[in-house]
Amino acid sequence: MWQSAGVMAGNTFGTALRLTTAGESHGPGYVGILDGVPPGLELSEADLQPDLDRRRPGQSKLTTQRMEPDEARILSGVFAGRTTGTPIAFLIENRDQRPKDYSEIRDKYRPGHADYTFDAKYGFRDYRGGGRSSARETSVRVAAAAVAKKLLRERWGVGIVGYVKSIGDIEGRIDDPAAVTLEQVEANPVRCPDQEAAARMAKLIERMRAERDSVGGVSELVATGVPPGWGEPVFDKLKADLGKALFSLPAVLGVEYGAGFSVATARGSENNDPFEMREGRVATRGNRHGGMLGGISSGQPIVLRCAVKPTSSLPQPQDTVTRAGEPTTIATKGRHDPCLLPRFVPMGEAMIALVLADHGLRQLAVQGVLD
Amino acid sequence: MWQSAGVMAGNTFGTALRLTTAGESHGPGYVGILDGVPPGLELSEADLQPDLDRRRPGQSKLTTQRMEPDEARILSGVFAGRTTGTPIAFLIENRDQRPKDYSEIRDKYRPGHADYTFDAKYGFRDYRGGGRSSARETSVRVAAAAVAKKLLRERWGVGIVGYVKSIGDIEGRIDDPAAVTLEQVEANPVRCPDQEAAARMAKLIERMRAERDSVGGVSELVATGVPPGWGEPVFDKLKADLGKALFSLPAVLGVEYGAGFSVATARGSENNDPFEMREGRVATRGNRHGGMLGGISSGQPIVLRCAVKPTSSLPQPQDTVTRAGEPTTIATKGRHDPCLLPRFVPMGEAMIALVLADHGLRQLAVQGVLD
Amino acid sequence: MWQSAGVMAGNTFGTALRLTTAGESHGPGYVGILDGVPPGLELSEADLQPDLDRRRPGQSKLTTQRMEPDEARILSGVFAGRTTGTPIAFLIENRDQRPKDYSEIRDKYRPGHADYTFDAKYGFRDYRGGGRSSARETSVRVAAAAVAKKLLRERWGVGIVGYVKSIGDIEGRIDDPAAVTLEQVEANPVRCPDQEAAARMAKLIERMRAERDSVGGVSELVATGVPPGWGEPVFDKLKADLGKALFSLPAVLGVEYGAGFSVATARGSENNDPFEMREGRVATRGNRHGGMLGGISSGQPIVLRCAVKPTSSLPQPQDTVTRAGEPTTIATKGRHDPCLLPRFVPMGEAMIALVLADHGLRQLAVQGVLD
Amino acid sequence: MWQSAGVMAGNTFGTALRLTTAGESHGPGYVGILDGVPPGLELSEADLQPDLDRRRPGQSKLTTQRMEPDEARILSGVFAGRTTGTPIAFLIENRDQRPKDYSEIRDKYRPGHADYTFDAKYGFRDYRGGGRSSARETSVRVAAAAVAKKLLRERWGVGIVGYVKSIGDIEGRIDDPAAVTLEQVEANPVRCPDQEAAARMAKLIERMRAERDSVGGVSELVATGVPPGWGEPVFDKLKADLGKALFSLPAVLGVEYGAGFSVATARGSENNDPFEMREGRVATRGNRHGGMLGGISSGQPIVLRCAVKPTSSLPQPQDTVTRAGEPTTIATKGRHDPCLLPRFVPMGEAMIALVLADHGLRQLAVQGVLD
């Protein structure tokens, strides 16, 4: 058995800011190398922890109870408290690797999971906890993105805030997406800034756990302060790179910007956001376009939404087949999230941060050659 | 004024199959170089024309009346009627470049267009017909994708069919997306396989033209015959690369797979597609997952939908500002599509074909190293 | 027969400035897409012709008599006489494609050529005039590099001059490589700035033609005005990228910088170039290091030499085998260069220009993010 | 101070087999991520140690006395003793980081080193032991290449052997480069397979240490068993990628293949290696071409030589300037190699292995699509 990957294996993301990752759910840990961070940025491990804590398991009773501190150790690229321009390597060690019997997920395909497709692809997989397909790999994305967020904030004043917009049939009321603050989001374990809705969502999640079921939802994410001009005209439109970034996250089945799918029933005369001058700058009345025109940032807030499916792992038995093709059932034992949305928020923010910092540096490169 | 681009300029798409494009709406023409086509594929210019004809302007009274034959000339990579493995270059010359007065779009920002964002990005733009931002650049994608489609069909039996699902409030009834045929789609100029709905859609489009307005819609696209195992586990998930591809097309504001945004209100127990054996192969009951699990193809049809906004160019006056920041109005003169959907279908198919052929070759590379 | 290439096929060169090429010796022509040229550079086809003329066949009686005007037509990326920042496409049509009998090179492997290795690689080749392996593909490199040279000259004052240092046993005397001018080089068809040696070299080349043989030589190339700081610390050292660029040219079997192979017999105490201040800047006494330290430009002239083998095509019979494995002989009929060196000079300059402009833009990107 | 890098920073090498590295000489350690290793290869840390031991400092009295075990820990990509196809991450911790006074190399530019060029590039550097510019970064290349070597050996029977050809004026006699064995090379600490010459070389190196000086040399490296057809026709010729790889190593100022610089004085009739049949395969009489034709492997041994400069670090005072531009002298204190050649051998082999395994996988991808 000889198989190949390389540039074709897709373990690297980004262009000017470039993250390469490795690691499996039950191996020694996860490693990331973030290349392209400018020198001179103050940085320490303490900068990475807050978002890692927002993503890590066991953070509230609404999430899985796997206990991982998810601490990232910086191994290079920082000297005397500042980045040097050389690549920054992170190591996040796995701690809570319970010795257990994996024979069930070794031999049966969990519905909604990548067990079957990995076998179809490689013929061989590290089945412990999903191996490379575990959502635990997003920890290293979140660590890297904490650097990107800091760069975005300090260099351009860009802020990124994500939140839960709906879970099941419960929708939070958000009057102005661009006005939502991190504090409002973090005020409850659901991460919905509508506190009343959040309470109902929490109950729904708890009910799902009790019913051995799971539920999906929508996360809305907003980037403010993005200058006009970010994004490239043809293939690397900002909406294209953001789309790839968000769809690269587990469980995302839909992405939309601004007015999103509702543009399908709109007329041009109502859908176009007219240009106007505001505070001396070109702006638009309305933001149905979601902050990008021709795939390039317009200076308006970037607003997008992700549809996140209900957790595939369920404690109730589900029909499936074995590797040998025999019908059977499988029920996930132990630890899982009845709803992915609360922990999705930092993951979504992370991917947006990596894309925006990448395009910010790309656009600086454009401007850097101005005489 | 010195600005830079390169790998950061985003004029190249794909990994194993790689398309690089150049060209502007009113320059001499468009050029594409498609690298990675296997040697031995029978190919001539006649293979490219059918899809170019489906995309070109002036094809029916529902579309813009710009008259372009959109003929692609092959300049390399084909010898004795077959591809050689060396890069295939295409040239599509522009013909219907009417000498006209561009001062209005030179000086005023058209709402919904990239005029302002190009100025913000580069400080300088080829304003003739939108220059590089014109959707006319998709012609070279369609030409290249005709090669990808042929490769997919002949090597793997993969078929790609797109169609119009809805325009405005009119929705076509499609019982089984995977059963729609090209013939059904091409039976009417709207490209909706529900012929009765198509007739109503055509009337709506004509009414839009009469009212100097435009309307949006949804296109659904399906790939059948994709073997399980295509796509990469982390960043280059198939859904991620398809998402980037489709969002790189003009006017797309939303993309969803399988059950799409409706997963947000679903429970895991109903959303998971159980595995079963069918015709001796692992299959799923239902296809809410849209043909990909863990970002890797499952062997089920890949089903996705794109939300396409109403044409931004309108013959009625719209509020805007000049480059100098003065309020004004602009109305598009002359030729435009009152609805983008009919011509979107081949563009959407093209991007799916480029992604699938790329991942097909990537997976062949994996399998190629099997002993 | 199904084979693949893409990113792995190597038809793209560079990072910030990125050239993708296509074309065969006896097809319709060559196409190049140069991405990453900053907007605002004055450019027309007239800028490309001088170097194309230096490279083209038939330029003097010392070279092959194939008659090709080698005119590059610009198809995109230039508006109102200036580059726009979008990709620049070139087309160089083939004119002198003589209908002739290719059965000999179709069936026999020419010693020193890529006929056998192409067959080993692809199993199928365009044998007309060498197809993709013809050195004629360097025309599009030279056209693209003319843009790079203009950018280097206007943006940074960087100049690149190459010349013939030796042919066979005849070595030109060059007291100061950094002082050689284009005029000195172009004063004779050999392109050796030592005019007396050049005359002897010309005679040697003519003798080779008479004797139906060929001869090799050394070209020395110099870049002046390169600011310190270009090149990347680890894999993309400037010397590494230049090395790749020069070895990517046909017939180059050796590359050395500064003191080159003579460092092997030197001691550190004599080989190190001490630092000193000169005209207020850090400089070195001597330039044994060839203008790069740690793979990064030092501000001293970049000096390198290429060993170019004698032309493999010979009008005299040479032992070889057929595709079927039968011993035979082959003698090249018709047009060839008895010595590659005179036409190598613009090719070598072209590759240096592409690398330096690439790294110049890369370093501008670094500096562009300076506050 | 804000500076950028990313894809432009050059910390990634290769295409199908792709190594990304990070780390500094006196930081916590070095990290590498090797992507593209086929699944199914038996692998453990024990496979990496032999070459790491050949490269590490302190291995004999001829080398620097820094004591580093250079043990690589594998953090991912291996399951049940075999590779899984997911990226393999390595960690090599730094141990012998002596707390010392770095003020001298912080403030003075060491001749022949990258201190000045790093400052010119970044304006800021980790000066401890050279930081990112330290040759210690090659440890992670050697670890990764041990995997590549194993793949080459097991999948294709390719072997790579390097050795010292000359040090100063002492040249080893090597009758047949392709017949040299690892055992002959490792039989002495100089790594010259001519044991008598090796003894004289060892004395010369010891004399250099005694004289507080250093000396250069030439390393010859050979790859046997490479099948015909590896390498790409235009930019990614095998000789181009090998050239880049070898010039990316510290201290290499010249690279040549086969007859190398001596082709410059040869005639075509003597330089061409005629084709003949040997053991039923196409072969050449002689190997002046060095195993590649048209940049593609010919099936003959790949033979190349690298000119390695004398160590720049010298214990004797050398003229230089301070960061502030004041003339001064500097003498390296402590540990250094009086001659780089013995430890260069595994580094050169490593880069060849990475390139060959990359192109082997690239060619498998080509062949993988054969029906």
Side-chain angles (χ1 to χ4, degrees):
Chain A
M1 180 167 34
W2 291 104
Q3 303 173 338
S4 139
V7 66
M8 311 212 294
N11 294 294
T12 296
F13 184 83
T15 299
L17 186 72
R18 201 171 176 88
L19 174 64
T20 301
T21 75
E24 278 87 28
S25 174
H26 286 66
Y30 288 91
V31 175
I33 297 180
L34 184 66
D35 205 0
V37 179
L41 184 71
E42 284 188 27
L43 192 73
S44 76
E45 281 133 358
D47 292 304
L48 315 181
Q49 204 55 45
D51 273 349
L52 284 167
D53 285 345
R54 295 171 74 211
R55 194 217 71 90
R56 76 176 171 79
Q59 63 184 268
S60 79
K61 64 181 177 178
L62 299 181
T63 69
T64 169
Q65 297 305 304
R66 177 169 173 167
M67 280 303 168
E68 286 287 353
D70 278 359
E71 289 169 358
R73 185 179 166 214
I74 295 176
L75 297 172
S76 66
V78 177
F79 175 59
R82 293 192 301 158
T83 59
T84 61
T86 61
I88 300 172
F90 311 92
L91 172 61
I92 300 173
E93 288 184 271
N94 292 326
R95 301 283 171 76
D96 188 8
Q97 306 145 271
R98 299 195 183 167
K100 65 181 232 190
D101 178 5
Y102 289 106
S103 61
E104 195 161 76
I105 63 173
R106 185 187 66 202
D107 297 332
K108 296 177 179 180
Y109 293 134
R110 292 171 295 167
H113 278 277
D115 303 336
Y116 167 63
T117 55
F118 261 62
D119 266 5
K121 181 171 199 68
Y122 298 112
F124 174 61
R125 75 191 140 98
D126 175 353
Y127 46 75
R128 298 167 304 167
R132 184 71 177 144
S133 77
S134 167
R136 191 159 162 65
E137 59 85 9
T138 60
S139 61
V140 75
R141 308 193 196 195
V142 167
V147 184
K149 281 184 176 180
K150 188 166 190 181
L151 180 61
L152 285 164
R153 191 170 55 240
E154 299 201 0
R155 179 60 183 80
W156 294 282
V158 170
I160 298 168
V161 173
Y163 47 84
V164 172
K165 169 101 175 145
S166 69
I167 290 181
D169 294 322
I170 307 170
E171 185 165 333
R173 179 175 163 178
I174 315 294
D175 291 326
D176 179 1
V180 173
T181 65
L182 180 63
E183 290 65 34
Q184 291 166 344
V185 175
E186 296 300 312
N188 61 71
V190 177
R191 296 203 166 89
C192 174
D194 175 343
Q195 308 299 330
E196 184 275 329
R200 286 186 290 137
M201 291 171 179
K203 280 194 187 126
L204 176 58
I205 295 173
E206 285 172 42
R207 183 153 62 88
M208 287 301 107
R209 188 191 296 279
E211 297 181 4
R212 298 185 304 164
D213 211 335
S214 65
V215 65
V218 171
S219 174
E220 188 164 66
L221 301 111
V222 183
T224 53
V226 177
W230 291 14
E232 298 299 324
V234 179
F235 296 115
D236 292 1
K237 289 181 164 76
L238 195 50
K239 64 178 177 141
D241 282 355
L242 287 169
K244 170 164 178 156
L246 292 161
F247 276 125
S248 80
L249 288 170
V252 176
L253 281 189
V255 172
E256 61 176 13
Y257 301 103
F261 271 84
S262 77
V263 298
T265 51
R267 293 200 179 186
S269 55
E270 65 193 6
N271 190 61
N272 280 345
D273 297 312
F275 284 110
E276 62 179 15
M277 299 304 292
R278 215 156 57 222
E279 297 168 21
R281 291 177 50 186
V282 176
T284 58
R285 279 206 300 277
N287 188 15
R288 290 181 61 84
H289 69 284
M292 298 170 284
L293 287 168
I296 300 172
S297 60
S298 69
Q300 299 308 303
I302 293 175
V303 181
L304 60 88
R305 282 170 299 283
C306 296
V308 179
K309 72 176 183 180
T311 319
S312 300
S313 297
L314 296 179
Q316 59 178 276
Q318 296 183 277
D319 287 349
T320 190
V321 297
T322 66
R323 291 195 74 186
E326 299 299 318
T328 185
T329 62
I330 188 167
T332 304
K333 296 192 187 74
R335 310 171 291 185
H336 81 288
D337 293 91
C339 179
L340 301 171
L341 271 295
R343 292 177 61 205
F344 177 82
V345 169
M347 299 178 200
E349 289 175 7
M351 293 314 295
I352 293 172
L354 288 173
V355 171
L356 289 180
D358 184 55
H359 276 279
L361 291 170
R362 288 164 84 161
Q363 180 62 7
L364 272 184
V366 172
Q367 295 170 334
V369 281
L370 292 172
D371 255 349
Chain B
M1 180 168 32
W2 292 104
Q3 303 173 338
S4 141
V7 67
M8 311 212 294
N11 295 293
T12 297
F13 184 83
T15 299
L17 185 72
R18 201 171 174 88
L19 174 64
T20 301
T21 75
E24 278 87 27
S25 174
H26 285 67
Y30 287 91
V31 175
I33 297 179
L34 184 66
D35 205 0
V37 179
L41 184 71
E42 283 186 29
L43 192 72
S44 75
E45 281 133 357
D47 291 305
L48 314 181
Q49 204 56 44
D51 272 349
L52 284 168
D53 285 345
R54 295 170 75 211
R55 194 218 71 89
R56 76 176 170 79
Q59 63 183 266
S60 79
K61 64 182 180 180
L62 299 181
T63 68
T64 168
Q65 296 306 302
R66 176 169 175 169
M67 279 304 166
E68 287 285 355
D70 278 1
E71 289 168 359
R73 186 178 165 215
I74 296 177
L75 297 171
S76 68
V78 177
F79 175 59
R82 293 192 300 159
T83 58
T84 60
T86 61
I88 300 172
F90 311 92
L91 172 61
I92 299 173
E93 288 185 271
N94 292 326
R95 299 282 170 77
D96 188 8
Q97 307 145 270
R98 303 196 181 164
K100 66 179 233 191
D101 178 6
Y102 288 106
S103 60
E104 195 162 77
I105 63 173
R106 185 188 66 203
D107 297 332
K108 296 177 179 180
Y109 293 133
R110 290 171 296 166
H113 278 277
D115 304 336
Y116 166 63
T117 54
F118 261 62
D119 265 4
K121 181 170 198 67
Y122 298 111
F124 175 60
R125 75 189 139 100
D126 176 354
Y127 45 76
R128 298 167 305 167
R132 185 72 177 144
S133 76
S134 166
R136 193 160 161 63
E137 60 83 9
T138 61
S139 61
V140 75
R141 309 194 196 194
V142 167
V147 184
K149 280 184 177 182
K150 189 168 188 179
L151 180 62
L152 286 165
R153 191 171 54 240
E154 299 200 1
R155 179 63 184 79
W156 295 282
V158 170
I160 298 168
V161 173
Y163 48 83
V164 171
K165 170 102 174 146
S166 69
I167 291 181
D169 293 321
I170 308 171
E171 186 164 334
R173 177 174 164 181
I174 316 293
D175 291 327
D176 180 0
V180 174
T181 65
L182 180 63
E183 290 65 35
Q184 292 166 344
V185 174
E186 295 301 310
N188 62 70
V190 176
R191 296 200 167 89
C192 175
D194 176 342
Q195 308 298 331
E196 185 275 329
R200 286 187 288 137
M201 290 172 178
K203 280 197 186 120
L204 176 59
I205 295 173
E206 285 172 42
R207 184 152 63 86
M208 287 300 106
R209 189 190 295 280
E211 297 182 3
R212 299 186 303 166
D213 211 335
S214 64
V215 66
V218 170
S219 175
E220 188 164 67
L221 300 111
V222 183
T224 53
V226 177
W230 292 13
E232 298 298 325
V234 180
F235 296 116
D236 293 0
K237 289 181 165 76
L238 195 51
K239 63 177 177 139
D241 282 355
L242 286 169
K244 170 163 177 158
L246 292 161
F247 277 125
S248 80
L249 287 170
V252 176
L253 282 188
V255 172
E256 62 177 11
Y257 301 102
F261 271 84
S262 78
V263 299
T265 52
R267 294 200 179 185
S269 54
E270 64 193 7
N271 190 61
N272 280 346
D273 298 312
F275 284 111
E276 64 180 13
M277 298 306 290
R278 215 154 58 219
E279 296 166 22
R281 291 176 49 186
V282 176
T284 58
R285 278 205 302 277
N287 189 14
R288 293 182 60 85
H289 68 286
M292 297 170 285
L293 287 168
I296 300 172
S297 60
S298 69
Q300 300 308 302
I302 293 175
V303 181
L304 61 88
R305 284 169 299 283
C306 297
V308 179
K309 73 176 183 181
T311 320
S312 299
S313 296
L314 295 180
Q316 60 178 274
Q318 296 183 275
D319 289 349
T320 190
V321 297
T322 66
R323 292 194 74 186
E326 299 299 317
T328 184
T329 63
I330 188 167
T332 304
K333 294 191 188 75
R335 309 170 293 184
H336 81 287
D337 293 270
C339 178
L340 301 170
L341 272 293
R343 294 176 61 205
F344 177 81
V345 169
M347 299 178 200
E349 289 175 8
M351 294 314 295
I352 293 171
L354 289 173
V355 171
L356 288 180
D358 184 56
H359 276 279
L361 292 170
R362 289 163 83 161
Q363 180 63 6
L364 272 184
V366 172
Q367 294 170 335
V369 282
L370 292 172
D371 256 350
Chain C
M1 179 167 33
W2 292 103
Q3 302 172 340
S4 143
V7 68
M8 313 213 293
N11 294 293
T12 297
F13 184 84
T15 299
L17 186 72
R18 200 169 176 90
L19 175 64
T20 301
T21 75
E24 279 86 29
S25 175
H26 286 65
Y30 287 91
V31 175
I33 296 180
L34 184 66
D35 204 1
V37 179
L41 184 70
E42 284 188 27
L43 191 73
S44 75
E45 281 132 358
D47 291 305
L48 315 181
Q49 205 54 47
D51 272 350
L52 284 168
D53 286 344
R54 296 170 74 211
R55 194 218 71 90
R56 76 176 171 81
Q59 64 183 266
S60 79
K61 63 182 178 180
L62 299 181
T63 69
T64 169
Q65 296 305 303
R66 176 170 175 168
M67 279 303 167
E68 286 287 354
D70 279 0
E71 289 167 358
R73 186 179 163 215
I74 296 177
L75 297 172
S76 68
V78 177
F79 175 59
R82 293 192 301 160
T83 58
T84 61
T86 62
I88 299 172
F90 311 93
L91 172 61
I92 299 174
E93 288 185 89
N94 291 327
R95 301 282 172 77
D96 189 8
Q97 306 144 272
R98 302 195 182 167
K100 66 179 231 192
D101 178 6
Y102 289 108
S103 60
E104 196 161 78
I105 63 174
R106 185 187 66 202
D107 296 332
K108 297 177 177 180
Y109 293 133
R110 293 171 294 164
H113 279 278
D115 304 335
Y116 167 62
T117 54
F118 261 62
D119 265 5
K121 182 171 199 67
Y122 299 111
F124 174 59
R125 74 189 140 100
D126 176 353
Y127 44 77
R128 299 167 304 165
R132 186 71 179 143
S133 77
S134 167
R136 191 157 164 63
E137 59 84 9
T138 60
S139 60
V140 75
R141 309 194 197 195
V142 167
V147 184
K149 281 184 175 181
K150 189 166 188 180
L151 180 63
L152 286 165
R153 191 170 56 240
E154 299 200 1
R155 179 62 183 79
W156 295 282
V158 169
I160 298 168
V161 173
Y163 48 83
V164 172
K165 169 103 175 146
S166 69
I167 290 180
D169 294 321
I170 307 171
E171 186 164 335
R173 178 174 165 181
I174 316 292
D175 291 327
D176 179 1
V180 174
T181 65
L182 179 64
E183 291 65 35
Q184 292 166 344
V185 174
E186 295 300 311
N188 62 70
V190 176
R191 296 204 166 86
C192 175
D194 175 341
Q195 308 298 332
E196 184 276 328
R200 286 187 289 136
M201 290 172 179
K203 279 196 188 123
L204 175 59
I205 295 173
E206 286 172 39
R207 184 151 63 84
M208 286 301 106
R209 189 191 294 280
E211 296 181 4
R212 299 186 303 166
D213 211 335
S214 65
V215 66
V218 171
S219 175
E220 188 164 68
L221 300 111
V222 183
T224 53
V226 177
W230 291 14
E232 298 299 324
V234 180
F235 297 115
D236 292 1
K237 288 182 165 77
L238 195 52
K239 64 178 177 138
D241 281 355
L242 286 169
K244 169 164 180 157
L246 292 160
F247 276 125
S248 81
L249 287 170
V252 175
L253 282 188
V255 171
E256 61 177 13
Y257 301 102
F261 271 84
S262 78
V263 299
T265 52
R267 293 200 178 185
S269 54
E270 65 194 6
N271 190 61
N272 279 346
D273 298 311
F275 284 110
E276 63 179 15
M277 298 304 292
R278 216 154 60 220
E279 297 168 20
R281 291 178 47 189
V282 175
T284 59
R285 277 205 302 276
N287 188 14
R288 292 180 61 84
H289 69 285
M292 297 169 286
L293 287 168
I296 300 171
S297 60
S298 70
Q300 300 307 303
I302 293 175
V303 181
L304 61 88
R305 282 170 298 284
C306 297
V308 179
K309 75 174 181 180
T311 320
S312 299
S313 296
L314 295 180
Q316 59 178 275
Q318 296 183 275
D319 288 349
T320 190
V321 297
T322 66
R323 292 194 75 187
E326 299 299 317
T328 185
T329 63
I330 189 167
T332 304
K333 294 192 189 73
R335 308 170 293 184
H336 81 287
D337 293 89
C339 179
L340 301 171
L341 272 294
R343 292 177 61 204
F344 176 82
V345 169
M347 299 178 202
E349 290 175 8
M351 294 314 296
I352 294 172
L354 288 173
V355 171
L356 289 180
D358 185 56
H359 276 279
L361 291 171
R362 288 163 84 161
Q363 181 62 8
L364 271 185
V366 171
Q367 293 170 336
V369 279
L370 291 173
D371 258 350
Chain D
M1 180 168 33
W2 291 102
Q3 303 172 338
S4 141
V7 67
M8 311 214 293
N11 293 295
T12 297
F13 184 83
T15 299
L17 187 71
R18 201 170 176 89
L19 175 63
T20 301
T21 75
E24 279 87 27
S25 174
H26 285 66
Y30 287 91
V31 174
I33 297 179
L34 184 66
D35 204 1
V37 179
L41 184 71
E42 284 188 27
L43 191 73
S44 75
E45 281 133 359
D47 291 304
L48 314 182
Q49 204 56 44
D51 273 350
L52 283 168
D53 285 345
R54 294 171 75 212
R55 195 217 70 90
R56 77 176 170 78
Q59 63 184 266
S60 80
K61 63 182 178 179
L62 299 181
T63 68
T64 168
Q65 296 306 302
R66 177 171 173 167
M67 279 305 167
E68 286 287 353
D70 277 359
E71 289 168 358
R73 185 179 164 214
I74 295 176
L75 298 172
S76 67
V78 177
F79 175 59
R82 293 193 300 161
T83 58
T84 61
T86 62
I88 301 172
F90 310 93
L91 172 62
I92 300 173
E93 289 185 90
N94 292 325
R95 301 283 172 75
D96 189 7
Q97 306 144 271
R98 301 195 183 168
K100 66 180 231 190
D101 177 6
Y102 289 107
S103 60
E104 196 161 77
I105 63 173
R106 185 187 66 202
D107 297 332
K108 295 176 179 181
Y109 293 133
R110 291 171 296 165
H113 278 278
D115 303 336
Y116 167 63
T117 55
F118 260 62
D119 266 4
K121 182 170 198 67
Y122 298 111
F124 174 60
R125 75 190 140 98
D126 175 354
Y127 45 77
R128 299 166 304 166
R132 185 73 178 141
S133 77
S134 166
R136 191 160 163 63
E137 60 84 10
T138 61
S139 61
V140 74
R141 308 193 196 197
V142 167
V147 184
K149 280 184 176 181
K150 188 166 189 181
L151 179 63
L152 286 164
R153 190 169 58 240
E154 299 201 0
R155 178 61 183 80
W156 295 281
V158 170
I160 298 167
V161 174
Y163 46 83
V164 172
K165 169 105 175 142
S166 69
I167 290 179
D169 294 321
I170 307 170
E171 185 164 334
R173 179 175 162 178
I174 316 293
D175 290 325
D176 180 0
V180 173
T181 65
L182 180 63
E183 291 65 34
Q184 291 166 344
V185 174
E186 296 301 311
N188 61 71
V190 176
R191 297 204 167 85
C192 175
D194 175 342
Q195 308 298 330
E196 184 277 326
R200 285 186 290 137
M201 290 172 180
K203 280 197 186 121
L204 176 58
I205 294 172
E206 286 173 39
R207 184 153 61 85
M208 287 301 107
R209 188 191 296 279
E211 295 181 6
R212 298 186 303 165
D213 210 335
S214 64
V215 66
V218 171
S219 175
E220 189 163 66
L221 301 112
V222 183
T224 54
V226 178
W230 292 13
E232 298 299 323
V234 179
F235 296 116
D236 292 1
K237 288 182 165 76
L238 195 50
K239 63 177 177 139
D241 282 355
L242 286 169
K244 170 163 178 155
L246 293 160
F247 276 126
S248 81
L249 287 170
V252 176
L253 282 189
V255 172
E256 61 177 12
Y257 301 103
F261 271 84
S262 78
V263 298
T265 52
R267 293 199 179 187
S269 54
E270 66 193 6
N271 190 62
N272 280 346
D273 297 312
F275 284 110
E276 63 180 14
M277 298 304 292
R278 216 155 58 221
E279 297 168 21
R281 290 178 48 186
V282 176
T284 59
R285 280 206 299 278
N287 189 15
R288 292 180 60 83
H289 69 283
M292 297 170 285
L293 287 168
I296 300 172
S297 60
S298 69
Q300 300 307 303
I302 292 175
V303 181
L304 60 88
R305 283 169 298 284
C306 298
V308 179
K309 72 176 183 180
T311 319
S312 299
S313 296
L314 296 180
Q316 61 179 275
Q318 297 183 276
D319 288 349
T320 191
V321 297
T322 64
R323 291 195 75 186
E326 300 298 318
T328 183
T329 63
I330 187 168
T332 304
K333 293 193 190 73
R335 309 169 292 183
H336 80 288
D337 293 270
C339 179
L340 301 171
L341 271 295
R343 291 177 63 206
F344 176 82
V345 169
M347 299 178 202
E349 290 175 6
M351 293 315 294
I352 292 171
L354 288 173
V355 171
L356 289 181
D358 184 55
H359 276 278
L361 291 171
R362 287 163 84 160
Q363 180 62 9
L364 271 185
V366 172
Q367 294 170 335
V369 279
L370 290 173
D371 258 346

